[in-house]
């Protein structure tokens, strides 16, 4: 799908416009500071886009205030004593160096032990942790997906994982492929289930319209609470720069 990128100003609000081969306009507000992004049909002119943004200004401002008030993690140095999250729980990192086997494991209820090669730098330790996170998320998806596919009544061809800065998940309806954000393994499992169901429901309804919300109410009645829980969780530092 070809995309044309443009920046426009709407009453002092910087808006990033992506014109695509789509039928409907979509306005999104993204962390960490509330960047505004519009996906618009290729034929839509600037004035129509401005009017659409103006009509949503109150909602945009609320989203921006929410992101700005959201707790934020400090920069991770991957050293003993700092905090890391796994499935919604906070763990104290304990770094040891040794030759041979490396990796991550949980010790008790409060310690995350990272074993790295001697002299390993920040990037090497981050790779070890990210690899462990990916393995853990893949395992949870494998365990959760069959049950939720049965509830929704739809199956995907595959479910993949990647690091995403502006989305928790996405669904390629034609390929029946779901992508989930790697950072979901750091959040409570209720949040992971919410995004999983959200993307499965897109196989039934492409748009975020009344039918989509009705389907979410049927399959996951407390989805709004789960969404709020996810939106209020601490923002990871690596998601700030884009």
């Amino acid at each position: 799908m070809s995309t044309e990128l443009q920046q426009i100003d709407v009453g002092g609000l910087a808006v990033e416009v992506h014109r695509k081969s789509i039928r409907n306009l979509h306005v999104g507000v993204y962390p960490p500071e509330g960047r505004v992004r519009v996906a618009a049909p290729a034929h839509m002119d600037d004035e129509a886009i401005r009017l659409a943004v103006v009509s949503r200004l109150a909602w945009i401002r609320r989203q921006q205030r929410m992101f700005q008030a959201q707790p934020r993690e400090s920069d991770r140095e991957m050293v003993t004593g700092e905090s890391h999250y796994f499935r919604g729980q906070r763990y104290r990192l304990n770094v040891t160096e040794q030759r041979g086997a490396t990796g991550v494991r949980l010790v008790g209820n409060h310690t995350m032990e990272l074993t790295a090669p001697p002299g390993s730098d920040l990037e090497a330790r981050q790779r070890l942790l990210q690899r462990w996170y990916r393995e853990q998320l893949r395992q949870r998806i494998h365990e959760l997906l069959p049950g939720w596919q049965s509830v929704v009544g739809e199956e995907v061809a595959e479910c993949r994982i990647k690091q995403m800065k502006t989305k928790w998940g996405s669904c390629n309806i034609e390929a029946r492929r779901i992508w989930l954000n790697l950072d979901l393994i750091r959040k409570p499992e209720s949040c992971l289930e919410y995004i999983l169901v959200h993307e499965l429901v897109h196989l039934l309804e492409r748009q975020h319209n009344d039918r989509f919300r009705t389907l979410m109410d049927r399959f996951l009645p407390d989805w709004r609470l789960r969404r709020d829980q996810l939106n209020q969780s601490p923002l990871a530092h690596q998601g700030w720069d884009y």
Side-chain angles (χ1 to χ4, degrees), residues 18-45:
H18 294 254
R19 284 187 169 83
K20 303 180 178 182
S21 300
I22 56 177
R23 289 190 296 177
N24 300 306
L25 178 141
H26 173 74
V27 179
V29 183
Y30 299 100
E33 301 296 344
R35 178 172 61 95
V36 181
R37 181 183 182 275
V38 172
H43 60 80
M44 185 171 286
D45 62 29

Side-chain angles (χ1 to χ4, degrees), residues 99-162:
R99 298 188 183 280
T102 60
V104 177
R105 69 187 185 106
L106 301 180
V107 180
N109 296 321
H110 304 289
T111 303
M112 179 182 291
E113 188 173 279
L114 186 149
T115 305
S120 57
D121 60 10
L122 170 66
E123 288 73 22
R125 295 178 180 185
Q126 285 178 327
R127 283 195 297 271
L128 283 172
L129 180 57
Q130 294 298 304
R131 184 173 64 193
W132 183 76
Y133 275 150
R134 187 176 293 272
E135 291 168 354
Q136 297 300 312
L137 181 55
R138 185 177 292 113
Q139 179 179 328
R140 288 307 295 145
I141 292 170
H142 178 75
E143 294 165 351
L144 292 170
L145 184 58
W148 283 113
Q149 287 184 143
S150 178
V151 169
V152 175
E154 294 287 335
E155 293 188 3
V156 296
E158 58 182 335
C159 185
R160 296 183 181 180
I161 300 166
K162 65 179 175 180

Side-chain angles (χ1 to χ4, degrees), residues 2-241:
S2 61
T3 302
E4 178 188 342
L5 175 62
Q6 179 188 2
Q7 194 91 11
I8 65 173
D9 181 271
V10 181
L13 179 70
V15 177
E16 186 179 301
V17 178
H18 294 254
R19 284 187 169 83
K20 303 180 178 182
S21 300
I22 56 177
R23 289 190 296 177
N24 300 306
L25 178 141
H26 173 74
V27 179
V29 183
Y30 299 100
E33 301 296 344
R35 178 172 61 95
V36 181
R37 181 183 182 275
V38 172
H43 60 80
M44 185 171 286
D45 62 29
D46 288 358
E47 187 59 26
I49 293 172
R50 284 194 175 90
L51 289 173
V53 172
V54 168
S55 71
R56 295 165 171 81
L57 271 179
W59 173 80
I60 290 171
R61 297 300 188 194
R62 285 197 302 273
Q63 294 296 110
Q64 289 179 327
R65 287 195 296 270
M66 181 189 71
F67 286 134
Q68 289 161 10
Q70 196 169 356
R72 305 183 182 211
E73 298 176 10
S74 60
D75 196 1
R76 305 289 88 179
E77 298 179 6
M78 300 303 297
V79 295
T80 294
E82 69 183 15
S83 296
H84 288 264
Y85 288 84
F86 174 66
R87 294 178 65 175
Q89 183 171 331
R90 186 175 179 174
Y91 289 86
R92 179 184 183 274
L93 188 68
N94 181 44
V95 179
T96 59
E97 294 188 348
Q98 70 174 36
R99 298 188 183 280
T102 60
V104 177
R105 69 187 185 106
L106 301 180
V107 180
N109 296 321
H110 304 289
T111 303
M112 179 182 291
E113 188 173 279
L114 186 149
T115 305
S120 57
D121 60 10
L122 170 66
E123 288 73 22
R125 295 178 180 185
Q126 285 178 327
R127 283 195 297 271
L128 283 172
L129 180 57
Q130 294 298 304
R131 184 173 64 193
W132 183 76
Y133 275 150
R134 187 176 293 272
E135 291 168 354
Q136 297 300 312
L137 181 55
R138 185 177 292 113
Q139 179 179 328
R140 288 307 295 145
I141 292 170
H142 178 75
E143 294 165 351
L144 292 170
L145 184 58
W148 283 113
Q149 287 184 143
S150 178
V151 169
V152 175
E154 294 287 335
E155 293 188 3
V156 296
E158 58 182 335
C159 185
R160 296 183 181 180
I161 300 166
K162 65 179 175 180
Q163 192 78 56
M164 293 185 273
K165 292 183 177 181
T166 62
K167 295 181 180 180
W168 289 112
S170 64
C171 178
N172 183 316
I173 296 171
E174 287 73 23
R176 303 186 73 81
R177 179 185 303 115
I178 284 177
W179 289 95
L180 295 180
N181 192 323
L182 177 59
D183 275 354
L184 283 167
I185 195 61
R186 304 169 69 251
K187 309 302 180 183
E189 187 157 298
S190 57
C191 299
L192 169 59
E193 289 184 305
Y194 158 62
I195 296 298
L196 193 56
V197 174
H198 182 114
E199 301 309 332
L200 284 170
V201 170
H202 273 309
L203 295 174
L204 296 169
E205 175 53 56
R206 183 184 299 265
Q207 304 298 327
H208 292 121
N209 53 22
D210 288 342
R211 180 170 183 259
F212 179 88
R213 288 185 284 273
T214 297
L215 290 168
M216 288 295 295
D217 287 339
R218 180 193 305 171
F219 301 132
L220 194 67
D222 66 343
W223 67 271
R224 291 174 179 83
L225 293 175
R226 296 176 186 237
R227 177 195 61 192
D228 292 345
Q229 181 184 29
L230 179 58
N231 288 336
Q232 292 164 10
S233 63
L235 286 170
H237 185 276
Q238 62 265 28
W240 296 6
D241 296 331

